[in-house]
C-alpha cells in the first residue's frame, strides 16, 4: 500500500519562504527528498509581516537565542555538506528582494540563486542590489520593485501563509496541514504514508490541548 502511495502522481504543496531564513536555505537544498511525492510551489512572503500577524519573533531578535541558533546553522550546514556563509549582519531587511521574487513569479532556479546569494556568497541584497539582480539572471539596472500590485502581491502571499497555518519559515503546506521547519521533512513524508494521521486520537488531543497559564 505504501509503495502504491509513493508511486502515485505528486500532490500539490505550497512552500512559504523568505531568504532571510538559513533554515529555508537548508530545506530547499533537501527538497529532493520529497519532490517525487509533492509538487512544491515556492511562494515568497515577508517573514517580518508574518511574525507581526502571528505575534511571533525570530531567534535573531532574541539575544539569548542568537549565538545558539547561528552556531547551530554552522553545524547543520557542515552536517549536510552544504556551503554556508553568514552575511555581514543578520537579520536584515528583505522586503525589496522578496518583492522582486514575487514580481518575477520566481520558480526554483531563481529561488535557489536568491538563497545562494545570501547563504553561499554571504551578501545582503540591499547592499549589492545590482549584483543580486545579475545573480538571478536579471539586468543589473533592475529597479527595486515599488509598484502597488507587487507590494499587494507580497502582502497577499503573507496573509495567505498565515491563513494556511504558517507562523514562520520554512513552511510546507500539504492538504491544509502546515509543516514548519527544516526538521519536518520526515514528518511530512510520514504524513504522505499516513494521510489520516491528524485524525488519530493522539494528534487530535495534541491539537486541542488547552493552555494552563
Amino acid at each position: 500500500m505504501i509503495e502504491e502511495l509513493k508511486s502515485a502522481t505528486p500532490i500539490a504543496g505550497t512552500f512559504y519562504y523568505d531568504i532571510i531564513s538559513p533554515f529555508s536555505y537548508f530545506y530547499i537544498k533537501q527538497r529532493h527528498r520529497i519532490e517525487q511525492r509533492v509538487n512544491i510551489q515556492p511562494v515568497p512572503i515577508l517573514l517580518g509581516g508574518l511574525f507581526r500577524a502571528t505575534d511571533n519573533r525570530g531567534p535573531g531578535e532574541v539575544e539569548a537565542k542568537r549565538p545558539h541558533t547561528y552556531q547551530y546553522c554552522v553545524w547543520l550546514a557542515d552536517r549536510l555538506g552544504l556551503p554556508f556563509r553568514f552575511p555581514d549582519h543578520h537579520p536584515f531587511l528583505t522586503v525589496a528582494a522578496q518583492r522582486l521574487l514575487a514580481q518575477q513569479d520566481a520558480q526554483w532556479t531563481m529561488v535557489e540563486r536568491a538563497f545562494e546569494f545570501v547563504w553561499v556568497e554571504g551578501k545582503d541584497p540591499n547592499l549589492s542590489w545590482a549584483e543580486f539582480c545579475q545573480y538571478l539572471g536579471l539586468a543589473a539596472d533592475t529597479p527595486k520593485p515599488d509598484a502597488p500590485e507587487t507590494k499587494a502581491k507580497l502582502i497577499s502571499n503573507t496573509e495567505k501563509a498565515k491563513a494556511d497555518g504558517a507562523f514562520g519559515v520554512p513552511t510546507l503546506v500539504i492538504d491544509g496541514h502546515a509543516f514548519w521547519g527544516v526538521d519536518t521533512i520526515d514528518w511530512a513524508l510520514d504524513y504522505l504514508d499516513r494521510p489520516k494521521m491528524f485524525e488519530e486520537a493522539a494528534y487530535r488531543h495534541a491539537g486541542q490541548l488547552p493552555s494552563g497559564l
Side-chain angles (χ1 to χ4, degrees):
M1 180 64 175
I2 289 178
E3 290 304 316
E4 292 177 3
L5 287 169
K6 288 181 177 179
S7 63
T9 301
I11 65 173
T14 302
F15 181 80
Y16 292 112
Y17 71 89
D18 188 317
I19 61 170
I20 199 170
S21 165
F23 295 105
S24 294
Y25 164 67
F26 297 141
Y27 195 114
I28 68 170
K29 291 299 186 180
Q30 296 181 84
R31 73 183 191 277
H32 61 276
R33 296 180 52 206
I34 196 170
E35 274 188 320
Q36 288 188 338
R37 306 187 63 188
V38 181
N39 182 16
I40 306 172
Q41 177 63 34
V43 176
I45 68 167
L46 189 61
L47 184 58
L50 182 62
F51 280 162
R52 289 189 292 274
T54 57
D55 193 25
N56 195 9
R57 285 198 297 166
E61 300 176 80
V62 181
E63 196 63 33
K65 287 185 177 181
R66 284 172 61 88
H68 172 84
T69 303
Y70 293 176
Q71 290 171 348
Y72 175 70
C73 288
V74 173
W75 175 85
L76 184 57
D78 184 64
R79 176 95 173 189
L80 295 173
L82 293 173
F84 183 74
R85 176 183 174 185
F86 267 99
D88 289 340
H89 47 251
H90 189 273
F92 57 88
L93 296 176
T94 61
V95 61
Q98 293 297 104
R99 283 177 182 169
L100 181 63
L101 293 164
Q103 178 180 274
Q104 294 292 321
D105 290 319
Q107 297 304 305
W108 281 117
T109 297
M110 182 176 285
V111 171
E112 282 206 59
R113 293 290 287 174
F115 273 100
E116 288 168 359
F117 188 81
V118 176
W119 297 109
V120 177
E121 302 297 328
K123 296 179 179 179
D124 176 348
N126 298 297
L127 302 179
S128 307
W129 183 256
E131 185 181 355
F132 176 64
C133 291
Q134 288 180 304
Y135 206 83
L136 301 187
L138 304 173
D141 60 354
T142 300
K144 291 184 178 180
D146 196 42
E149 58 268 27
T150 300
K151 294 179 179 179
K153 183 174 183 178
L154 188 61
I155 291 171
S156 176
N157 287 353
T158 305
E159 291 174 344
K160 182 64 164 54
K162 179 189 175 184
D164 281 349
F167 50 85
V169 295
T171 294
L172 176 66
V173 177
I174 309 172
D175 292 338
H177 300 291
F179 296 89
W180 167 71
V182 66
D183 53 346
T184 60
I185 294 176
D186 288 326
W187 187 11
L189 286 167
D190 281 349
Y191 166 73
L192 295 173
D193 292 338
R194 293 163 52 200
K196 295 188 181 298
M197 174 186 287
F198 292 98
E199 298 174 26
E200 297 171 11
Y203 285 87
R204 290 202 312 272
H205 174 69
Q208 299 170 359
L209 198 67
S211 171
L213 301 178

